[in-house]
Amino acid sequence: MIYNEEFETLPREVLESLQLKRLQQVSQRVYHTVGFYRKAFDKAGVNPDDIKSLSDIRKLPFTTKQDLRDNYPFGLFAVPMSSIVRLHASSGTTGRAIVVGYTKRDIDTWSELMARCFVAAGLTKNDIIHNAYGYGLFTGGLGAHYGAEKLGASVIPMSGGNTKRQIMILQDFGPTAICCTPSYALNLAEQGVAMGVEMQSLKLRVGIFGAEPWTEKMRDEIENKLNLTALNIYGLSEVMGPGVAMECMEGRCGMHIFEDHFIVEVIHPETGELLPYGEEGELVFTTITKEAFPLIRFRTRDISRLIAEPCRCGRSHIRMDRVTGRSDDMLIIRGVNVFPSQIEAVLIGVTGLEPHYQLIVDRAGTMDTLEVQVEVSEQIFANADEVRSLQNLEKHLIKDLKDYLGVAAKVKLIEPKTLQRFEGKASRIIDKRKI
Ligand code: ADP
Ligand code: ZN
């Protein structure tokens, strides 16, 4: 099923000519309404009239997070405040929060794109959606909420936290779908079991998880624990909020980017050079329909790659692979680049380990050190005879991490249920080098 069959399946050439028309319009609009863009275009020696083909987008300057911060809070808005009906802010995971605004039409577009996501996940108006993304300034909660209503589904506006209550509602209201961060899904699964609830027998059929990097192994883990199909959703406040891209049921491999509203590019994170489809690099988005807060070539710092092969579902929109990490989260350990998601890929699914881990980075003299703390299962922990197997497990992990990351890490096996649990985005790195 496709929510907006006409626009989601546009033949490539038609889609591209629509993108070009919209790119020309937005370039004109920002040039004439946002001082920052006028200056940036002038400095780059480009005029909106120079955009004659889609590839001319490369003439336009990039917009960075720093530009957004420099214009805090409203400096990049392209409409007067009287036309703005909603303000949100990014979670501030990696620095000062960024404020974003929406016109009435922007909210309508966003709602439609979220409705497209739900339909891509196989949901209809007959579904009950448990929305555990945080409501408030964070875009997750209200973004998903409006999309669910647009679809006509029944939405439970849970927001994050209050986990025991969430588990009661999951049992009593019988939602068929859940939206939250993948780390919170695991947290719910664990606390449900602790409350004696058979989490696999709930009515949940689909989970729509995003807002933070996660791995295929984490997907398996969540699918097993909650007995549902787990799908990936991507978005960021700056570009809109959740619903910029969504996996479909048929593909389950990469998320369709709603290209009638966004133009995506992948660039080399250091040189800024445009990379061909399939190569990993930094995602760059241009919003081509947003009114309040249009962004030209916004550098997301998110690392992924584009998948150009057509998808079985019939959507013509290009897909992006899982985000392996943000360049801000990349650890440089003794000169080697390490993403937390690479460590997750080694840890999750190993017998005897729980999917809860934390990374401690420190410096001994001039040497960076990485310690991976991961919880072991109750069985292993409770059984004194297992001391040997704990030692073996540790040895095994040290070797696997070394092979996979190319850098040595210490491993610390931790008692079950001792590491921090998360209600929204997980924060797994403790970097003591900065202190
Ligand atoms: P903040 O940058 O403060 O976390 P947002 O709340 O807007 O701001 O979160 C957007 C970011 O969340 C994205 O830039 C990306 O790093 C991350 N993100 C969102 N969805 C996913 C996903 N499905 N996989 C990996 N990372 C994601
Ligand atoms: Zn598809």
Side-chain angles (χ1 to χ4, degrees):
M1 284 268 289
I2 296 181
Y3 182 80
N4 189 333
E5 180 97 37
E6 183 191 349
F7 281 91
E8 291 181 77
T9 63
L10 282 178
R12 205 70 218 165
E13 316 99 62
V14 185
L15 178 61
E16 286 179 3
S17 63
L18 176 71
Q19 284 186 318
L20 174 60
K21 192 180 97 205
R22 290 181 167 176
L23 177 65
Q24 289 166 332
Q25 287 166 348
V26 75
S27 309
Q28 293 289 354
R29 201 144 43 77
V30 296
Y31 189 75
H32 294 289
T33 54
V34 185
F36 164 82
Y37 280 115
R38 174 175 289 251
K39 272 191 230 129
F41 281 30
D42 287 349
K43 196 167 156 220
V46 58
N47 188 279
D49 296 328
D50 299 337
I51 308 294
K52 300 213 163 62
S53 72
L54 259 190
S55 57
D56 288 335
I57 193 171
R58 278 173 247 166
K59 297 179 180 160
L60 299 175
F62 290 118
T63 310
T64 63
K65 285 202 186 203
Q66 193 53 46
D67 294 328
L68 270 51
R69 293 192 176 116
D70 292 346
N71 287 281
Y72 176 91
F74 308 139
L76 292 182
F77 288 5
V79 298
M81 195 50 88
S82 55
S83 304
I84 294 216
V85 300
R86 178 98 66 81
L87 295 165
H88 276 290
S90 74
S91 325
T93 313
T94 57
R96 188 176 185 184
I98 284 156
V99 180
V100 295
Y102 304 78
T103 64
K104 178 76 184 62
R105 206 187 79 184
D106 291 336
I107 295 284
D108 288 344
T109 307
W110 186 13
S111 310
E112 173 181 330
L113 297 194
M114 271 309 304
R116 290 186 190 181
C117 294
F118 288 129
V119 172
L123 303 181
T124 68
K125 67 186 181 59
N126 299 322
D127 280 285
I128 305 180
I129 302 176
H130 180 110
N131 183 16
Y133 281 121
Y135 281 65
L137 276 178
F138 174 53
T139 49
L142 283 169
H145 184 103
Y146 272 59
E149 284 191 352
K150 176 97 176 174
L151 174 64
S154 320
V155 52
I156 310 174
M158 275 312 301
S159 193
N162 216 338
T163 307
K164 288 207 167 95
R165 179 127 193 257
Q166 301 236 7
I167 288 159
M168 270 171 47
I169 302 275
L170 284 170
Q171 291 174 280
D172 297 348
F173 294 11
T176 47
I178 181 165
C179 308
C180 59
T181 57
S183 50
Y184 192 52
L186 276 182
N187 187 347
L188 278 169
E190 179 182 67
Q191 292 209 35
V193 171
M195 285 164 66
V197 178
E198 251 187 67
M199 295 300 280
Q200 284 147 329
S201 311
L202 296 171
K203 292 221 177 81
L204 291 177
R205 190 155 62 71
V206 182
I208 294 155
F209 303 121
E212 64 184 7
W214 53 312
T215 55
E216 279 307 309
K217 286 187 177 168
M218 188 66 98
R219 173 174 1 226
D220 295 341
E221 190 82 26
I222 296 172
E223 290 193 333
N224 289 334
K225 292 204 154 127
L226 291 175
N227 186 25
L228 46 67
T229 300
L231 296 173
N232 199 1
I233 185 169
Y234 171 83
L236 61 171
S237 322
E238 294 90 338
V239 171
M240 181 179 77
V244 172
M246 174 73 199
E247 247 175 358
C248 66
M249 276 301 218
E250 287 81 355
R252 272 178 56 106
C253 164
M255 300 169 269
H256 291 283
I257 297 169
F258 296 119
E259 286 185 287
D260 49 337
H261 294 275
F262 311 107
I263 295 177
V264 63
E265 300 166 88
V266 172
I267 61 166
H268 190 289
E270 270 123 52
T271 64
E273 168 208 358
L274 187 73
L275 297 177
Y277 287 166
E279 270 185 47
E280 187 160 270
E282 179 179 342
L283 293 170
V284 172
F285 285 99
T286 299
T287 68
I288 49 177
T289 55
K290 269 203 321 181
E291 292 181 330
F293 188 66
L295 278 179
I296 302 294
R297 303 192 85 200
F298 177 64
R299 292 189 58 164
T300 62
R301 329 253 328 147
D302 290 333
I303 306 296
S304 182
R305 66 185 188 98
L306 297 176
I307 305 171
E309 289 85 60
C311 181
R312 283 195 299 277
C313 70
R315 288 175 182 80
S316 55
H317 296 176
I318 199 164
R319 284 173 288 167
M320 57 179 266
D321 204 347
R322 272 182 187 287
V323 171
T324 46
R326 327 174 158 216
S327 47
D328 311 305
D329 272 353
M330 188 178 76
L331 298 169
I332 303 177
I333 306 293
R334 299 193 287 279
V336 179
N337 298 349
V338 175
F339 279 108
S341 62
Q342 294 176 290
I343 296 172
E344 181 174 303
V346 173
L347 301 178
I348 311 291
V350 173
T351 319
L353 293 186
E354 291 296 317
H356 301 285
Y357 65 95
Q358 194 139 57
L359 313 174
I360 319 281
V361 187
D362 207 345
R363 184 163 287 156
T366 55
M367 282 271 278
D368 298 320
T369 60
L370 170 64
E371 178 175 294
V372 176
Q373 302 187 340
V374 56
E375 288 183 13
V376 295
S377 66
E378 298 276 1
Q379 291 107 301
I380 290 216
F381 192 73
N383 191 340
D385 301 339
E386 301 276 7
V387 175
R388 264 197 73 91
S389 57
L390 278 181
Q391 283 168 346
N392 280 337
L393 187 58
E394 195 176 299
K395 255 198 234 145
H396 203 80
L397 285 176
I398 289 175
K399 179 169 184 310
D400 284 356
L401 286 167
K402 172 90 212 230
D403 289 349
Y404 196 64
L405 307 176
V407 67
K410 272 208 294 189
V411 169
K412 190 166 175 192
L413 299 175
I414 302 265
E415 219 176 298
K417 304 211 170 78
T418 44
L419 291 178
Q420 193 189 344
R421 298 294 187 262
F422 303 97
E423 293 175 345
K425 291 172 191 265
S427 109
R428 305 201 190 266
I429 305 172
I430 301 176
D431 195 338
K432 296 186 170 164
R433 293 178 299 188
K434 288 181 198 138
I435 300 167

